[in-house]
Amino acid sequence: MADGVQIPFDKAQVKRAVQALQAFQKSKSSAESLLLDENHSISLLFTLWKIPKKPQTIRIPLPHGQRLDTDEVCLFTRDEPHMTSDQTQRFYKRLLQENGVKNITEIIPYAVLKTEYKPHEAKRRLMGNYDMFLSDDRVRRLLPSHLGKHFYQRKREPLCVNLKSKTLARDIQRVIQGTCLKVNNKGCCCMARVGHHGMTTEELTENIEAAIQTVAAKLNMKGPVVKLIHVKNETSVGLPLYVSSVKHLTELEEAEVHAKALQKERTEARRKARDVKQPKPTGEGVEEEEEDKIPMLVPIETPSKKPKLENASKEKRLEKAPKTAVTKKARKVPLKRKKVGKTDLKSKRKVLKVK
């Protein structure tokens, strides 16, 4: 809640809830659960009054680290120019050693990720081999297409780090030992890990208080949007730490109505300002503009379909009209050729003889 609204939770209630969770964990008869308390995480569950419009990732620095020194962390880096993959790995190992960073167990350049971890099985194996993933902020946008959807479905996507920072060791330590709250726009519940059962009651209580205050300060929603806050582990029920009043819901609804009214007023004010900037011309200027205007082209009205049919029918009738008898006879009667008889031939012969 970025507008300065605080969450009035009870610190004594937080301490009692942590003690109850620890007692529940110790009550288990299994010997393995007592030896591996570090593997049983404790998380905060936030329930909101309304579903957010946009997703958000809130980084929460914790006063007491929740990860062990034995956790394996993988770092994805960019490809340095004019260097091979092995040279890039050595370059960043040297950089981390110079800055005093000791938590990174493996460095994978971007070129190695594209080539060696292209098969689906290799991506699944990579996700299972490490407890946490970090990435250089310069290649963060290129990773989703090469890591696959399983990293993001199980919320194991790498967190970005600025490797050019002057306080690199402190930044990496904050990211590794801190936690993240991922608020999505698909539901009203979100969860963040704040510790494990290997920590003391005071450490867990301080981590929970710091997480609640950070979420209240960084959540991009106006008004008292947090409805419930619970603390739980992997097998227990959620123990309530904060319960919001129903009047907060009415406040949110009133704030939404007020925001819509303000937006409407702003749009009307903008429209009026545009009208003032563009005044309508009057007087002689109007007549001149009207003279200068290009006349509108009026489309020629085409006759309807019925007269077309009538004209066509008339033309057909004219074509089919009977022709005069004279023309028929003139066409039918062929030209008669005069028959030349024997007498004519004889006369012609005689004329030739005389000559």
Side-chain angles (χ1 to χ4, degrees):
M1 295 170 289
D3 54 354
V5 179
Q6 298 294 328
I7 300 175
F9 63 94
D10 187 7
K11 295 182 180 181
Q13 176 67 16
V14 174
K15 189 172 183 180
R16 287 195 296 269
V18 171
Q19 289 174 350
L21 281 178
Q22 290 176 338
F24 171 76
Q25 187 66 22
K26 289 179 182 178
S27 65
K28 289 186 176 181
S29 59
S30 175
E32 294 180 358
S33 63
L34 295 175
L35 294 173
L36 301 175
D37 285 340
E38 293 82 2
N39 295 331
H40 297 281
S41 61
I42 295 176
S43 304
L44 278 180
L45 178 63
F46 292 86
T47 306
L48 308 178
W49 280 110
K50 293 188 175 182
I51 298 174
K53 294 181 180 179
K54 294 181 180 180
Q56 181 187 3
T57 301
I58 301 174
R59 287 192 181 183
I60 304 171
L62 298 175
H64 303 283
Q66 61 169 339
R67 296 187 182 274
L68 302 174
D69 295 334
T70 58
D71 287 353
E72 295 187 354
V73 181
C74 178
L75 174 65
F76 298 111
T77 64
R78 76 161 192 168
D79 299 326
E80 290 296 324
H82 309 294
M83 287 189 186
T84 62
S85 299
D86 296 336
Q87 291 174 346
T88 303
Q89 284 180 342
R90 287 191 231 105
F91 172 77
Y92 281 105
K93 282 182 180 178
R94 196 182 312 113
L95 177 66
L96 295 176
Q97 288 176 0
E98 290 174 357
N99 287 276
V101 180
K102 300 179 181 179
N103 297 330
I104 306 298
T105 56
E106 184 66 25
I107 295 173
I108 299 178
Y110 179 65
V112 176
L113 179 66
K114 287 195 298 183
T115 55
E116 296 185 7
Y117 295 95
K118 193 172 183 179
H120 178 69
E121 296 178 356
K123 294 176 183 177
R124 297 288 295 271
R125 202 181 311 115
L126 175 66
M127 184 177 62
N129 288 341
Y130 300 98
D131 300 308
M132 188 178 183
F133 295 92
L134 303 177
S135 71
D136 189 352
D137 56 357
R138 293 169 290 183
V139 296
R140 179 183 58 85
R141 62 184 180 82
L142 304 173
L143 295 179
S145 59
H146 298 288
L147 291 177
K149 62 181 181 180
H150 297 284
F151 271 82
Y152 297 89
Q153 285 179 349
R154 298 189 182 183
K155 298 180 180 180
R156 300 289 304 279
E157 66 269 21
L159 302 174
C160 61
V161 178
N162 183 12
L163 296 179
K164 290 185 175 181
S165 175
K166 295 180 181 179
T167 58
L168 183 60
R170 187 185 67 181
D171 295 345
I172 290 178
Q173 186 69 15
R174 282 184 178 180
V175 173
I176 292 174
Q177 297 300 341
T179 187
C180 283
L181 179 70
K182 295 176 183 177
V183 183
N184 56 24
N185 56 352
K186 298 180 181 179
C188 58
C189 294
C190 45
M191 187 179 291
R193 178 181 172 178
V194 292
H196 53 80
H197 281 286
M199 302 170 68
T200 62
T201 305
E202 288 75 15
E203 290 175 349
L204 288 171
T205 304
E206 291 177 4
N207 280 2
I208 290 170
E209 292 174 1
I212 293 173
Q213 292 172 0
T214 305
V215 171
K218 293 184 177 181
L219 191 61
N220 288 336
M221 296 179 71
K222 294 183 179 180
V225 293
V226 178
K227 181 180 180 181
L228 300 169
I229 300 176
H230 293 85
V231 62
K232 64 186 294 295
N233 62 11
E234 295 175 354
T235 57
S236 70
V237 296
L239 303 179
L241 302 179
Y242 169 75
V243 179
S244 178
S245 177
V246 182
K247 67 179 183 180
H248 291 164
L249 181 60
T250 57
E251 289 179 9
L252 289 173
E253 292 175 352
E254 291 175 359
E256 284 186 0
V257 173
H258 184 62
K260 288 180 181 178
L262 282 175
Q263 189 175 2
K264 191 175 181 181
E265 290 177 0
R266 288 173 184 171
T267 52
E268 289 179 357
R270 288 173 186 170
R271 183 173 55 79
K272 290 179 181 179
R274 289 172 188 169
D275 295 341
V276 170
K277 288 180 181 179
Q278 299 176 357
K280 294 182 179 180
T282 55
E284 298 178 356
V286 178
E287 296 177 357
E288 292 178 358
E289 288 180 1
E290 288 179 356
E291 291 177 359
D292 294 338
K293 282 183 181 177
I294 300 172
M296 296 292 289
L297 296 175
V298 181
I300 299 171
E301 293 184 359
T302 55
S304 60
K305 294 182 179 179
K306 290 183 180 178
K308 281 185 178 180
L309 295 172
E310 291 176 1
N311 295 333
S313 60
K314 287 180 182 179
E315 290 175 359
K316 287 181 181 178
R317 285 174 190 171
L318 291 171
E319 289 176 359
K320 291 180 181 179
K323 296 181 180 180
T324 58
V326 177
T327 55
K328 284 185 178 180
K329 288 179 180 179
R331 285 187 179 181
K332 287 182 179 179
V333 177
L335 294 171
K336 292 182 178 181
R337 295 180 179 179
K338 292 182 179 182
K339 292 183 179 180
V340 180
K342 291 181 179 180
T343 56
D344 296 334
L345 293 170
K346 288 179 180 179
S347 61
K348 286 181 180 180
R349 288 174 185 172
K350 286 178 182 180
V351 172
L352 293 171
K353 286 179 180 179
V354 173
K355 289 180 179 178

